[in-house]
């Protein structure tokens, strides 16, 4: 049959099935099978028809045949599933899950919905059959399919939730499949991840189910705890997780920190919670916490629940007893009294006895134990109590018996075995070693009570100290510490053993666990051990942090402070380390280590003086070798630094001390080569200083003498020999150390250099150089990589004794090859080339050295020598740079030579080179300082002393210059150089003249050949100052013959003229000076002398002519300009042109603003000739003070005088006033009597201002003190200033008397005058002061006192005896006025006016005229008839205004006009000129008085417009007094 027939038959079968003609369908299918045996559809149709015909077996066979033919086709499997579902046969039910599983696989790729339906049916079968593993796999397959389909997260969550619900029954099975439980846990975890929100009700429920599930799985304890903690973190108020945890701990009897924490968190108002917690804490031996928990439980326990209360009280009692201490014991006794029938319970009675024992009441405890043993002899607690009592009484044998009985009565109690083990341990070494005692009982205690930490601590002691088993000891200590984290002893021991066994990880883990939990101020043992570990491994910052934490726990632990200091020191935090060691020493003064470390740190920091002091503090207590070594090193370093600064005296003293201290160390430890090396260094360092200073006191054994003798003083060569022996001794101990051979070689080299200075000793020098060379070669053999060895060998080889230049060059090149950045070798190579006259190579070598190290001085000296050789202008600058880098003898002398040479050349003063090298670079002082150090070191160089004296002269250091020249003369007297000696003697004589030793200077000059003009001039000056005028003239005449040019002759002629004037030969002096002016090269000094001569003799014509010629010469030096200005001002004052004096000084200042002398001169002349500009004079003095310290000292006094003239006191200006300025002047010039006089005047001004303001003066009773100071200072002035000083002393006396009078101390003033007159009766000024005081006393006795004519006559005579005292005439006029004798007063004023004119005192003229005008104005104001007084006012004020502008004179004229013609327009004009014309020269008082009178004038005229203008002007200027005056006038008019 063809394929068409098969299809037709199948079609017929399908139609038959559709029509439910199943038998027909079978026929058609059989027909198909006959044609095609393996036709899949035929078999499927047969299965379907047979199933409908209720032939299940045939149907099953047909379906299975179809499945075999096409296993991946759905129809057969679907038919088979339908057959199994509707047929109730057991074998069909068994095979149905397999069919479903196949359908799931087929549907998974074709129809997901049908797949899900099949899975649902399959899961129901597995669930009903309790095949949970298969069920889990099916569910996982379903969820996997859903995930691939990317369904919603809620649907996935629902599936996981259904899975957890279906699997909940499997947890109740006796045998749980681990794989199933894992699937269940996974389901819960997946569900909890998908659930949202968190926290939320659904999440809480599933978390609860998850915890409940895990609680039923014993193998999942860890996950259960984790889940509980996770749930508690999200839902802290939920109690179920805590209930699960507590239940777990109670069931498993696990009592640890976690259990206690769980119980603590699960506490509620129910009594059982507190009791469970307290019981857990008690079993863990946390007795204090257990007692507290019991107290809490009792607080919430109901009074009716007596059983629980008793349980809590009993547990609390036992916990308090075992806590120890007196306070818990008291609480235990109180608790005992609360337990019902406690006295009847022997166990509680035993606890009561132990409470007494804890309180120290052994008698009470003994009584209780005796009664308890008597009533209950077999009670273990009683026997234990008896043992503890015996132990407290110091009876260990009886205690042992009692503990043994207790242990036998209660063999399961670990405490009794522990008590026995501890007792045996404390009984001594013998019982400790008895294994059957300590070890046995402690092991039993540990086995019986594994939570008793103290047992393991003692076991650790046993294993460490007796058994020597550190491994077991560490384990026991670790166990003890784990049980009780407060057991510091066990924790520390565990860590210590771990560190001893190099198990640092375990030790750090333990320490970390403690420090993490530690509160501030606790766990000291852990912090300090971890800090020491970090210190050991080099983690210094962490070490510091840990040690600081340890100190917070115990700030008084000096050991910890020392450890902290070590940590700081290793971190290079020296300041912090110093503080730490200082604190350690403060806490433990006997600790030498702290002091030593502090000293060592200061030594490292270069604070050698402080380090030496602390080293000495240690060595004073004991011979501590490190301290002695450090002391010697510090003294050696300090000595070297002093030698670098050429302070050789102090350096030698320090070297001697270093040798003494290092020898003490060597005596204690002769086996230390470093000490011998340091001794050698100290002895060799002596070679640097001057030989005459290098005398060292060396211990006798070190110097090679008998130890019984005293120390010996050795010279430089002997000390170097001792250093040689020290190096040799060090080499005996360590012969292969190249540095020691190097040091020994340098020592031989120093000896050779020293011996080379002695004449005729060249053989010994060569021998020493050869030894030095051999030592350096040995050092190079041992350490050829050290460039210093090669360099030293090169230096020795080029020395004069060997001069092996090829070897020297080779060594320097090798040194450079070893170390390319070798500035010393390059410099030495340059010196070698320079010595061999190879300038170019020397320059290149020095240039490379400069590039390598610009601060190395030797290479700069080499370049300077090259510049000097080739004649470069940079030579001086290069030598100057060497002195700035450091003090090197060659550089210092070279620089001093060039400075002196430049100064000797007078022709270069205006050159740019001179201004830069000498002035700008401050060359003179720099060279002087450097050369002073040079001569301190090298005292046999006469050239250096000559240059030093010359520089000292330029710096005005007279005594130092004299000493330097004297030393140069002494050195040159033993040399054949007469030329140098003559130069030095001339300089010495000049220095003697400068210092005022004229006779000695003449002797020195006479010892010279007297062929030089300078020597003859110096001799003439010495004769002149010594008073030998004829000899001086003779010397100048000899000098005139030697003079080589007219300028020199002019100076000599000027000097001769001055001598002639001194002898009174005025005409001869004028002739000589005129002769000078006629020379081709006139000098300004001769014209200055001629002008001064005219001024002295008041010859205005001569002075003016000389000054005119002087000014014609044009530009002059600064000193000449100052003298010209001074002479000009003097001439103007002599001519009476006072205002021009100030203008001339101001003009000079404007022309030369950089000249401080002119500023000082301006400040000086202003108060004397133009006091109205006193404020400007004060400013000029301040400028001079800032510009020059030399001029500033005197200018400060001038500034103060100007402030006095302007009336500037502290009430007016608190910062800039006369008192403060005079105080500064006194501080700067304490030996100047003028400054003290100025201070006296300033104090008088301050007191006067206080009197005027009505306040009490604060500077009273200073007059006599200041007067005595001035008198003392006057005695020290030079003879030429003696007249001025005496005048100043007289003024001070008058000032003192005036001050006393002003203060009302008339008796003291009279006594002072009388005292002076007793010493010097002929003293008109003092007599006048006495009469003034007496007159004042008479006038003050009665206001209406009328002086008799005799008294007035005495006063008049006293004034006449002081004809030049203008103030006396003013005072006499005031006395006449007070007596009503106005005519006599006028005559007195006119007398003072005449005297002022004769003396040329401008200020006195003005003062006399103003006083006269005021005297005449008062009668006019009083309305006295007549015109005489009015004419006198006009005459006096007109004369004042002729002398210059004077606001007071203008005021007097305005007041006179006001009194005579008040309403006149001229009156208003005169007053307005004073009120509205603003000028700083107008005093405020003058302006205010004029304003008042103008106000009265305008009120009288009722001129409201002008009144408003005046009032507005007053408001603008803040004149409140005028406004008040206006209000008073307005109110009086109204």
């Amino acid at each position: 049959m063809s394929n068409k027939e098969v299809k037709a038959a199948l079609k017929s079968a399908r139609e038959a099935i559709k029509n439910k003609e199943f038998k027909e369908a079978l026929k058609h299918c059989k027909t198909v099978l006959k044609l095609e045996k393996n036709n899949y559809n035929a078999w499927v149709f047969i299965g379907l028809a047979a199933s409908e015909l209720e032939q299940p077996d045939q149907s099953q066979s047909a379906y299975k045949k179809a499945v075999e033919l096409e296993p991946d086709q759905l129809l057969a499997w679907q038919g088979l599933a339908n057959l199994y579902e509707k047929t109730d046969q057991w074998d069909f039910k068994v095979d149905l899950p397999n069919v479903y599983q196949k359908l799931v696989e087929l549907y998974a790729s074709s129809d997901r919905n049908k797949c899900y339906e099949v899975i649902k049916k399959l899961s129901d079968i597995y669930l009903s059959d309790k095949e949970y593993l298969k069920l889990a796999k099916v569910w996982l397959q379903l969820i996997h399919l859903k995930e691939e389909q990317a369904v919603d997260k809620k649907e996935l969550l629902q599936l996981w939730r259904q899975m957890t619900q279906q699997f909940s029954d499997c947890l109740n099975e006796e045998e749980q499949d681990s794989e199933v439980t894992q699937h269940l846990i996974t389901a819960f975890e997946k569900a909890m991840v998908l659930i949202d929100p968190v926290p939320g009700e659904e999440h809480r429920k599933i978390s609860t189910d998850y915890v409940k599930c895990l609680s039923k799985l014993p193998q999942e304890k860890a996950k259960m705890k984790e889940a509980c903690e996770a749930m508690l973190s999200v839902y802290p108020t939920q109690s179920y997780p805590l209930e699960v945890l507590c239940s777990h701990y109670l069931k498993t009897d696990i009592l640890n920190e976690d259990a206690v924490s769980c119980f603590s968190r699960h506490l509620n108002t129910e009594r059982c919670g507190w009791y469970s917690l307290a019981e857990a804490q008690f079993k863990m031996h946390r007795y204090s916490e257990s007692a507290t928990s019991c107290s809490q439980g009792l607080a919430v326990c109901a009074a009716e629940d007596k059983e629980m209360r008793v349980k809590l009280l009993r547990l609390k009692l036992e916990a308090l007893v075992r806590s120890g201490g007196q306070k818990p014991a008291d609480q235990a006794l109180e608790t005992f009294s609360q337990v019902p029938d406690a006295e009847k319970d022997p166990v509680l009675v035993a606890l009561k006895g132990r409470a007494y024992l804890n309180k120290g009441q052994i008698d009470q405890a003994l009584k209780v134990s005796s009664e308890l043993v008597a009533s209950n002899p077999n009670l273990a607690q009683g026997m234990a109590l008896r043992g503890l009592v015996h132990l407290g009484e110091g009876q260990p044998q009886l205690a042992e018996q009692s503990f043994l009985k207790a242990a036998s009565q209660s063999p399961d109690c670990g405490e009794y075995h522990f008590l026995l083990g501890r007792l045996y341990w404390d009984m001594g070494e013998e019982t400790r070693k008895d294994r059957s005692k300590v070890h046995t009982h402690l092991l039993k205690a540990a086995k019986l009570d594994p939570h008793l930490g103290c047992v393991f601590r003692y076991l650790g002691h046993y294993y460490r100290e007796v058994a020597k088993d550190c491994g077991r000891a560490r384990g026991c200590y670790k166990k003890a510490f784990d049980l009780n984290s407060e057991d510091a002893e066990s924790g520390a021991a565990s860590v210590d053993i771990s560190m001893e066994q190099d198990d640092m990880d375990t030790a750090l883990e333990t320490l970390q666990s403690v420090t993490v939990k530690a509160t501030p101020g606790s766990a000291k043992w852990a912090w300090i051990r971890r800090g020491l570990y970090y210190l050991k491994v080099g983690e210094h910052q962490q070490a510091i942090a840990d040690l600081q934490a340890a100190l917070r726990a115990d700030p008084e632990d000096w050991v910890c402070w020392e450890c902290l200091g070590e940590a700081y020191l290793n971190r290079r935090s020296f300041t912090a380390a110093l503080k730490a060691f200082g604190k350690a020493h403060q806490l433990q003064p006997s600790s030498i280590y702290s002091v030593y470390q502090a000293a060592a740190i200061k030594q490292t920091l270069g604070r050698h003086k402080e380090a030496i002091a602390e080293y000495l503090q240690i060595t004073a207590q004991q011979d501590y070798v490190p301290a002695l070594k450090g002391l010697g090193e510090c003294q050696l370093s300090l000595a070297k630094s002093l030698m670098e600064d050429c302070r050789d005296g102090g350096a030698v003293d320090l070297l001697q001390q270093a040798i003494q201290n290092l020898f003490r160390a060597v005596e204690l430890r002769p086996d230390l080569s470093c000490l011998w090396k340091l001794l050698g260094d100290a002895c060799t360092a002596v070679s640097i200083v001057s030989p005459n200073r290098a005398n060292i006191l060396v211990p006798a054994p070190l110097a090679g003498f008998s130890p019984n003798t005293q120390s010996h003083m050795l010279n430089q060569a002997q000390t170097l020999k001792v250093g040689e022996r020290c190096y040799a001794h060090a080499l005996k101990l360590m012969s292969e150390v190249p540095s020691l051979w190097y040091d020994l070689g340098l020592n031989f080299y120093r000896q050779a250099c020293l011996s080379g200075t002695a004449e005729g000793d060249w053989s010994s020098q060569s021998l020493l150089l050869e030894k030095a060379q051999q030592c350096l070669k040995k050092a190079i053999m041992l350490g050829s990589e050290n460039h210093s060895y090669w360099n030293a060998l090169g230096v020795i080889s080029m020395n004069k004794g060997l001069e092996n230049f090829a070897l020297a060059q080779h060594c320097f090149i090798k040194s450079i090859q070893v170390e390319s950045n070798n500035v010393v070798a390059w410099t030495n190579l340059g010196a070698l080339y320079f010595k061999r006259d190879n300038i170019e190579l020397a320059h290149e070598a020095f240039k490379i050295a400069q590039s390598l190290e610009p601060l190395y001085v030797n290479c700069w000296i080499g370049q300077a020598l090259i510049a000097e050789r080739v004649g470069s202008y940079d030579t001086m600058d290069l030598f100057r740079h060497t002195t700035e880098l450091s003090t090197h003898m060659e550089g210092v002398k070279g620089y001093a030579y060039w400075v002196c040479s430049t100064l000797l050349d007078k022709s270069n003063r205006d050159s740019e080179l001179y201004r830069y090298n000498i002035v700008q670079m401050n060359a003179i002082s720099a060279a002087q300082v450097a050369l002073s150090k040079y001569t301190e070191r090298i005292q046999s160089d006469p050239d250096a002393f000559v240059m030093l004296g010359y520089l000292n002269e330029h710096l005005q250091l007279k005594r130092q210059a004299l000493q330097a020249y004297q030393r140069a003369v002494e050195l040159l007297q033993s040399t054949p150089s007469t030329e140098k000696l003559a130069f030095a003697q001339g300089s010495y004589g000049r220095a003697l003249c400068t210092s005022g030793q004229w006779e000695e200077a003449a002797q020195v000059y006479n010892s010279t050949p007297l062929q030089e003009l300078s020597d003859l001039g110096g001799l003439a000056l010495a004769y002149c100052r010594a008073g030998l005028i004829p000899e001086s003239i003779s010397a100048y005449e000899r000098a005139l013959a030697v003079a080589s040019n007219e300028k020199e002759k002019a100076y000599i002629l000027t000097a001769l003229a001055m001598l002639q004037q001194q002898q009174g030969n005025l005409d001869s002096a004028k002739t000589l000076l005129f002769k000078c002016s006629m020379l081709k090269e006139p000098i300004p000094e001769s014209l200055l002398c001629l002008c001064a001569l005219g001024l002295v003799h008041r010859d205005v014509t001569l002075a003016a002519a000389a000054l005119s010629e002087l000014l014609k010469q044009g530009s002059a030096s600064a000193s000449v300009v100052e003298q010209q200005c001074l002479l000009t001002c003097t001439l103007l004052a002599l001519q009476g042109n006072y205002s021009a004096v100030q203008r001339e000084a101001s003009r000079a200042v404007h022309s030369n603003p950089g000249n401080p002398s002119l500023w000082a001169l301006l400040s000086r002349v202003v108060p004397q000739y133009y006091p109205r500009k006193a404020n400007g004079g004060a400013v000029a003095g301040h400028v001079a003070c800032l510009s020059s310290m030399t001029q500033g000292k005197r200018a400060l006094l001038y500034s103060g005088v100007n402030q006095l003239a302007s009336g500037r006191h502290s009430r007016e200006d608190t910062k800039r006033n006369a008192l403060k300025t005079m105080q500064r002047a006194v501080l700067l010039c304490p030996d100047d009597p003028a400054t003290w006089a100025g201070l006296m005047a300033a104090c008088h001004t301050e007191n006067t201002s206080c009197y005027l303001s009505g306040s009490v003066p604060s500077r009273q009773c200073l007059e006599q003190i200041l007067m005595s100071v001035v008198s003392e200072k006057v005695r020290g002035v030079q003879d030429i200033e003696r007249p001025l000083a005496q005048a100043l002393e007289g003024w001070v006396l008058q000032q003192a008397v005036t001050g006393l009078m002003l203060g009302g101390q008339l008796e003291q003033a009279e006594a002072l005058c009388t005292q002076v007159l007793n010493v010097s009766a002929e003293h008109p000024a003092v007599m006048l002061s006495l009469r003034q005081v007496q007159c004042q006393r008479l006038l003050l006795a009665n206001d209406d006192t009328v002086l008799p004519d005799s008294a007035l006559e005495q006063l008049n005579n006293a004034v006449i005896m002081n004809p030049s005292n203008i103030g006396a005439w003013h005072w006499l006029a005031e006395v006449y006025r007070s007596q009503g004798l106005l005519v006599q007063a006028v005559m007195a004023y006119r007398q003072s006016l005449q005297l002022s004119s004769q003396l040329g005192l401008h200020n006195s003229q003005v003062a006399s005229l103003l006083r006269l005008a005021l005297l005449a104005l008062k009668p006019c104001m009083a309305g006295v008839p007549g015109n005489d007084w009015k004419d006198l006012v006009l005459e006096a004020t007109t004369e004042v205004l002729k002398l210059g502008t004077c606001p007071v004179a203008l005021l007097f004229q305005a007041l006179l006009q006001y009194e005579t013609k008040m309403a006149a327009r001229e009156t208003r004009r005169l007053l307005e000129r004073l009120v509205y014309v603003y000028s700083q020269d107008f005093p405020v008082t003058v302006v205010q008085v004029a304003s008042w009178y103008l106000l009265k004038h305008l009120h009288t005229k009722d001129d409201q417009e002008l009144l408003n203008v005046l009032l507005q002007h007053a408001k603008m200027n803040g004149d409140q007094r005028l406004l008040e005056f206006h209000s008073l006038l307005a109110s009086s008019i109204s």
Side-chain angles (χ1 to χ4, degrees), residues 1303-1315:
Q1305 303 177 20
L1306 299 179
E1307 294 182 359
Q1308 292 87 333
E1310 185 175 357
L1312 178 61
C1313 295
T1314 306
Q1315 180 182 356

Side-chain angles (χ1 to χ4, degrees), residues 1050-1098:
Y1051 279 113
I1052 296 172
L1053 289 172
T1054 303
L1056 284 170
M1058 293 172 66
L1059 290 175
Q1060 292 293 339
Q1061 193 273 340
Q1062 190 172 355
Q1063 286 187 323
N1065 300 327
L1066 181 61
D1067 294 336
S1068 299
K1070 289 181 179 179
T1071 301
L1072 290 170
L1073 290 173
F1074 281 129
K1075 186 177 180 180
C1076 288
S1077 62
M1078 299 302 292
L1079 295 174
K1080 292 182 180 180
E1081 296 183 17
I1083 58 174
E1085 285 79 4
S1086 62
L1087 294 173
L1088 285 172
C1089 291
L1090 189 59
C1091 182
L1093 191 63
L1095 292 173
V1096 169
H1097 295 281
R1098 306 184 71 83

Side-chain angles (χ1 to χ4, degrees), residues 631-671:
L631 178 59
E633 287 178 326
C634 286
Q635 290 169 336
L636 180 58
S637 299
L638 201 56
K640 289 181 179 179
S641 65
L642 290 178
M643 285 188 285
E644 289 177 0
D645 203 27
C646 296
R647 297 161 61 186
D648 293 344
V652 169
D653 293 339
L654 286 169
L655 287 176
Q656 182 172 296
Q657 297 172 19
I659 291 172
Q660 298 284 348
N661 291 310
L662 290 171
F663 183 70
R664 286 173 60 189
V666 162
E667 287 182 316
L668 296 170
R669 291 294 302 274
D671 58 322

Side-chain angles (χ1 to χ4, degrees), residues 289-330:
E289 298 176 11
S290 178
T292 303
S293 299
C294 290
S295 299
Q296 296 289 341
L298 287 169
V300 300
C301 184
E304 295 79 12
D305 195 352
K306 296 182 179 180
E307 180 182 357
M308 179 54 65
R309 291 188 63 84
V310 170
K311 290 174 66 177
L312 286 170
L313 288 171
R314 292 175 66 93
L315 185 59
K316 180 181 178 181
L317 172 61
E318 189 170 1
L320 289 170
V321 168
R322 296 184 183 278
S323 296
Q326 184 172 354
K327 186 175 180 180
D330 293 334

